[in-house]
Every structure is written in structure tokens, then in C-alpha cells.
Amino acid sequence: AQRNLPENYRLFRRLLHSRQYDVVHLHIFHSLSLVYARLARDAGVTVRIAHSHNTALRSSPLRPLKLLLHRAARALLTNCATDLWACSGAAADFLFSAKALRRRGFQWIPNGIHTELFRFDAGGRAAARRELGLSDELLVGNIGRLCAQKNQAFLLDAFAALLAGRPESRLLLVGEGEAEEALRRKAEQLGCGDKVIFYGVSSHVERLLWAMDVFAFPSRFEGLGIAAVEAQAAGLPVLASEHVPPEAGVTPLLQALPLDAGAAGWAQALQALCRPSGRREDWAAAVRRGGFDVADAAARIQAYYGRSLSEERSEDFNYFPQRPGGALPPQVPGQHRRPDLPPSGDYPDRRRLPRRLRGHLRRLRRPGRAHPGHPPAQPGRLRRAKRRAGRRHRGVDRLGGRGRLD
């Protein structure tokens, strides 16, 4: 379960120790999840990617406590990740510590979409508008979860103001969520309940985007705002709040307007944006050139995986020289993902040491700890650990230096 965090940690640790993972890629919405990067580090995974997709925490009675824990985890756990990725600069600032960002920076990875799927189709627009019972009406649209974050309540106020100048307008809300009933009541109170279409969840949002004339996106916070990118791929003008990251403005179709402009200001801007601006079919190619096509994004990530693994195997897996590329041997059930190095003369024989000390030495010698982003153990620390392990094993008194031999 999502809220059973101790159970999640236990299962994740067990998974890491039972499989041979070269890369762990974490898609994260708050910094407490960076603890999974720490578990991966302790399991010897050499490439640990933390990928941020959020810029704020949802409103709740426990939000102040959650924000405190988030800030503490951000400061303590960011360095457990070897690579910092984010869908926007704001998402990186939210999840990663300022110190780590100044020292290491972050990699911008856009959320990919099927740009060709959203390419405007005039026949599809006509069919979708017929299904909605529309002909020449101005259709304002929004796609997203019906919740406080997406701010559809403000959009209803703006739409009611728009009706004063364009009474034939309609509002299409695609999605579902905990705020749906409150939004329906508000629409009735504003006197526009018969002009608002609560569509629900759809598996063909591209056809609904083709049917729209303008896309409204008054979110209170967004990691990126992928719905706005999809709307631009469909050739729709987009009016977004100032809380939508600038990375979402991949084309000139997106215009930002602060929520402080009020419902009247948004109504005026929506009416101005609904005018056609060129051929809607051409904007899908522009979105692809901006790097948002899912095939291009996937190829970029896959290339990074391959480059990282080749670098790691050349450095960390060279104790299997007989295997091409330093590949790991077949996994033995219950075996740690990184076999121990052959015993050396200056180490005590691990077969004679207590289990706790054997595990301590194994962690110190794990090759994955030498990856950039996690400094290797210092030689002095290794010498002290070996000396301490051997002294305890021989039964030497830590205070007087004398003791009984086993």
C-alpha cells in the first residue's frame, strides 16, 4: 500500500538484494522518497537516478509537518543519488538541496508525449464536436484531475465572466477527482451549470483537444504541466497561470497570465486567444523539435543508461576479466548482488569472523561505493576497520590491550 512506508522499504530492500540491478531510476514527487536511493546505494547499485516531477505538496491538515520532513530529507538524502534529473527547473529546486544543485546541477528530461497522435485532424474535430452536441460554439477546455491543485474552481469564475461577452460559450472539463461535486454545485450557483460539460475520464484526449478552441490551465502548482504540452501539439492556444513552469511553453501558443489578474482578466484573455493562429496541423512538429516526443526522450534516457553502464563496468566490474564487458556471473538465490573480492592477505579470514563483522567489511569494500557522487572509503578508515575487526576476533581487550585468545 502507498501509505505503508515501512513495508515498502522492506520489500524494496529485498528486491534490490535478490536481483542484479545496474541502474535504479526513481520517479519522485517528494524528498522522503529519496530514501529509496539510499537503499539502492547500500545494496551496491552504482547508478541511482532521482527524477523529480513535482514542485509543491498538496494542501492538507498535516502539510506543515510534511513540509518539515520534506526539507529535512532533501538536505540529508540528495547525495544518495548519483544523478539528479527533473522535468523542470522548479521541480529540481523543490526536490534537491540547493547545495547539491550548485555543485552538481541537474539534467532536464522532458516528459514525452506521442506528438503524432496529437496532430490536429479536422475530421476528428468535427466528429468530436458532434458527439458533444456542439456546432459553432466557443469551447474552452481543461484536462486534469478535479482537485484544488488544478484550480478548476477559479476557471468556473473566469468562464462565468466570459459568458457575459460570449453567451454561446461552453466549458469542457475532462477528468475526475475529489472536487467534482463541489465544482458542480458552484457551476449551478454561478448560473452556468447547463453550459459546463463534466466529461469524466477519457482514453482519447487528443480528439477532445481537437474539439476545443482554447485551453485554460490555471493550476496552483505543476511539475511541468504535460496537459499544456499536449494541447500545444494539437495546435491549441493555451492560457496558463504563472505557476506552470516555463519549460511547458515549448511554442508561442502558450501565454502566461497571473491568477491575480482575476476572473475578469482571464475571461478577456481567453476571448482574445480563441482566434485561429495558423494551421493547427503544423504545431505537432514544433513540439517534437522542442524535445517532447516520447520516442526521442526514451532514446535519450536509453543512451544515458548504456553510457553509464559501460563506464561503470570498465571501473567497477573489472574483477571479472574473463567475462565480456565485466558482466556479472549468474545470480545465486540469496547472494548479494556484488560478490566479494577474493580474500587478500591483510584482511582477516572472513569465514572465521562473526557474521556482523563480515557484513561490515563487505560494505566497506563494495565497489559500488566508488562511484562519483559517493566518495570511496579512505585508506585510513579501511586500515582501522581491518585492525579493529582482527583485534575483536582475537579477543584483545580494547582498554588494556590484553585478553584471552579464542
Side-chain angles (χ1 to χ4, degrees):
Q2 183 178 1
R3 296 182 181 275
N4 192 355
L5 297 181
E7 180 67 11
N8 290 346
Y9 299 158
R10 185 183 65 81
L11 293 176
F12 188 72
R13 185 184 294 109
R14 178 190 297 176
L15 184 65
L16 290 173
H17 284 271
S18 63
R19 305 287 181 90
Q20 295 181 7
Y21 290 109
D22 300 302
V23 179
V24 168
H25 190 161
L26 302 170
H27 295 269
I28 300 177
F29 292 85
H30 53 81
S31 62
L32 288 177
S33 296
L34 287 171
V35 72
Y36 294 110
R38 180 173 182 173
L39 294 177
R41 184 196 69 183
D42 294 342
V45 180
T46 53
V47 180
R48 306 176 296 277
I49 303 170
H51 198 157
S52 176
H53 292 275
N54 199 16
T55 58
L57 299 179
R58 294 181 181 178
S59 298
S60 69
L62 296 177
R63 187 176 184 275
L65 176 60
K66 292 179 179 179
L67 192 58
L68 182 64
L69 294 174
H70 166 79
R71 290 171 177 168
R74 179 175 61 188
L76 295 173
L77 299 175
T78 296
N79 286 333
C80 294
T82 59
D83 298 87
L84 309 181
W85 291 8
C87 61
S88 67
D93 293 336
F94 173 73
L95 186 67
F96 308 129
S97 68
K99 182 178 179 180
L101 290 175
R102 285 194 303 268
R103 186 177 71 253
R104 302 160 56 187
F106 76 99
Q107 181 70 37
W108 177 65
I109 302 293
N111 296 343
I113 66 171
H114 293 280
T115 52
E116 285 303 314
L117 178 66
F118 289 92
R119 183 184 294 275
F120 178 76
D121 181 81
R125 170 183 168 86
R129 289 180 72 92
R130 282 196 302 269
E131 293 175 6
L132 294 171
L134 304 176
S135 55
D136 298 329
E137 295 88 348
L138 170 64
L139 182 60
V140 180
N142 175 271
I143 298 177
R145 182 176 177 82
L146 304 182
C147 61
Q149 174 195 350
K150 302 299 182 180
N151 206 14
Q152 288 94 349
F154 175 85
L155 181 55
L156 284 176
D157 292 330
F159 178 69
L162 176 65
L163 288 174
R166 299 289 297 268
E168 79 284 2
S169 302
R170 298 291 185 272
L171 176 61
L172 176 62
L173 299 179
V174 181
E176 60 183 16
E178 61 273 13
E180 182 173 350
E181 290 303 320
L183 292 173
R184 289 182 180 273
R185 289 194 300 269
K186 181 167 185 174
E188 294 296 335
Q189 293 169 2
L190 293 172
C192 58
D194 58 333
K195 297 181 181 293
V196 179
I197 304 171
F198 289 88
Y199 192 90
V201 177
S202 174
S203 59
H204 49 81
V205 294
E206 70 282 354
R207 300 179 69 251
L208 299 176
L209 288 171
W210 298 338
M212 298 175 190
D213 297 298
V214 61
F215 189 83
F217 206 48
S219 299
R220 290 191 171 97
F221 63 91
E222 288 285 345
L224 174 65
I226 195 65
V229 178
E230 294 172 346
Q232 293 171 81
L236 266 180
V238 178
L239 185 62
S241 72
E242 75 275 23
H243 302 298
V244 176
E247 288 86 350
V250 65
T251 72
L253 289 174
L254 188 142
Q255 301 293 324
L257 183 65
L259 295 176
D260 291 341
W266 271 67
Q268 185 177 0
L270 288 171
Q271 187 170 354
L273 283 175
C274 67
R275 300 166 187 158
S277 57
R279 286 166 40 90
R280 290 183 62 174
E281 297 89 342
D282 298 335
W283 292 105
V287 172
R288 177 161 194 167
R289 288 194 298 271
F292 281 90
D293 188 79
V294 66
D296 298 336
R300 182 178 177 182
I301 294 173
Q302 186 176 9
Y304 176 82
Y305 287 166
R307 184 168 64 252
S308 299
L309 293 180
S310 62
E311 294 172 357
E312 291 304 324
R313 287 185 174 177
S314 65
E315 297 174 2
D316 293 337
F317 294 6
N318 55 10
Y319 48 89
F320 291 119
Q322 73 280 14
R323 300 177 184 275
L328 287 172
Q331 181 72 11
V332 178
Q335 179 187 5
H336 194 277
R337 71 172 300 278
R338 293 200 180 281
D340 290 329
L341 292 170
S344 57
D346 57 349
Y347 268 82
D349 188 353
R350 282 189 299 274
R351 291 172 298 181
R352 298 179 56 196
L353 289 175
R355 180 178 299 177
R356 180 176 60 83
L357 294 179
R358 292 202 302 267
H360 179 63
L361 289 176
R362 184 169 60 246
R363 286 193 297 274
L364 286 176
R365 305 181 66 192
R366 187 174 301 142
R369 302 291 289 271
H371 186 270
H374 192 289
Q378 297 297 322
R381 182 185 173 192
L382 285 173
R383 287 195 299 270
R384 289 193 299 271
K386 290 183 288 185
R387 189 164 55 246
R388 185 167 56 249
R391 186 168 62 241
R392 290 176 183 173
H393 177 59
R394 291 192 301 270
V396 178
D397 185 3
R398 297 177 61 186
L399 295 178
R402 297 184 301 274
R404 185 183 68 254
L405 295 178
D406 291 339

